[in-house]
Amino acid sequence: EVQLVESGGGLVQPGGSLRLSCAASGFTFSSYAMHWVRQAPGKGLEYVSAISSNGGSTYYANSVKGRFTISRDNSKNTLYLQMGSLRAEDMAVYYCARGRPPYYYGSETYYYYMDVWGKGTTVTVSS
Amino acid sequence: DIQMTQSPSSLSASVGDRVTITCRASQGISNSLAWYQQKPGKAPKLLLYAASRLESGVPSRFSGSGSGTDYTLTISSLQPEDFATYYCQQYYSTHLTFGGGTKVEIK
């Protein structure tokens, strides 16, 4: 069974850091791009970050650029999101999701839709 | 960034109704559009991609159409398990964006 399981969420103070993990199973992890998408309480979906299958290309939404770092360990079938300088507006359920490998055109990387999602992990930012 | 505008933001419908949700992009996206269904407290689920291609295992009562900037998701005969929030997502640009969602409620 294809499965993604997030962990690492919790309560953190404003300005603090947190590392989320996403354990993948049931598919060849190293063949897929991976994504993080978040959803603030009562709000819609917000795209956060993506990483190519070999980790060579990454993407960040402007709202997290410079504060969050996406990475992956294909030997451990695990995706990570290192979050720093956390703000109240970062409070959300964070989902990891699988995607097709991106395609490259010139210097740009184009990611696709997400076909498998984890159940999410909750990040609360509060003093 | 490409802005995705869904309408309506919510609707009420009865079991058996035909339901149509619209997603408009701020520029042409060449059918690079996916639709997701999300139930309360659950993760989103992919329904369609490339505007009209049904994801494996998704019931055929779901369909998608459109071109250029305007796209629609249609549920031909609403079932009890279809009451949920639906999101569109464009993947035409390097900056992926979601629509604001359409909540389908029971009338």
Side-chain angles (χ1 to χ4, degrees), chain B residues 24-47:
Chain B
R24 174 166 289 175
S26 58
Q27 66 182 77
I29 58 171
S30 296
N31 289 357
S32 298
L33 185 88
W35 289 98
Y36 301 89
Q37 176 193 65
Q38 187 181 34
K39 297 181 180 180
K42 302 295 186 182
K45 173 188 174 183
L46 176 67
L47 297 176

Side-chain angles (χ1 to χ4, degrees), chain A residues 35 37 39 43-47 59-60 62 65 95 103 108-115 117-120, chain B residues 1 34 36 38 41-46 48-50 55 87 89 91-100:
Chain A
H35 306 261
V37 176
Q39 187 169 36
K43 301 297 184 182
L45 301 173
E46 181 188 10
Y47 194 75
Y59 164 84
Y60 300 95
N62 288 335
K65 195 176 295 182
Y95 296 101
Y103 74 94
E108 302 286 358
T109 302
Y110 292 81
Y111 290 92
Y112 290 89
Y113 51 90
M114 291 137 271
D115 65 347
W117 295 65
K119 294 183 178 181
Chain B
D1 292 5
Y36 301 89
Q38 187 181 34
K42 302 295 186 182
K45 173 188 174 183
L46 176 67
L48 298 109
Y49 59 95
E55 173 70 350
Y87 294 93
Q89 177 232 325
Y91 49 95
Y92 178 78
S93 80
T94 57
H95 301 278
L96 307 186
T97 47
F98 289 94

Side-chain angles (χ1 to χ4, degrees), chain B residues 9-70:
Chain B
S9 57
S10 65
L11 65 89
S12 295
S14 300
V15 172
D17 284 353
R18 182 181 182 88
V19 169
T20 298
I21 298 168
T22 297
C23 184
R24 174 166 289 175
S26 58
Q27 66 182 77
I29 58 171
S30 296
N31 289 357
S32 298
L33 185 88
W35 289 98
Y36 301 89
Q37 176 193 65
Q38 187 181 34
K39 297 181 180 180
K42 302 295 186 182
K45 173 188 174 183
L46 176 67
L47 297 176
L48 298 109
Y49 59 95
S52 61
R53 296 192 174 187
L54 204 63
E55 173 70 350
S56 176
V58 174
S60 59
R61 63 180 179 272
F62 291 93
S63 64
S65 64
S67 63
T69 60
D70 296 330

Side-chain angles (χ1 to χ4, degrees), chain A residues 44-68:
Chain A
L45 301 173
E46 181 188 10
Y47 194 75
V48 175
S49 185
I51 188 167
S52 61
S53 54
N54 65 3
S57 294
T58 58
Y59 164 84
Y60 300 95
N62 288 335
S63 57
V64 306
K65 195 176 295 182
R67 301 187 298 121
F68 290 12

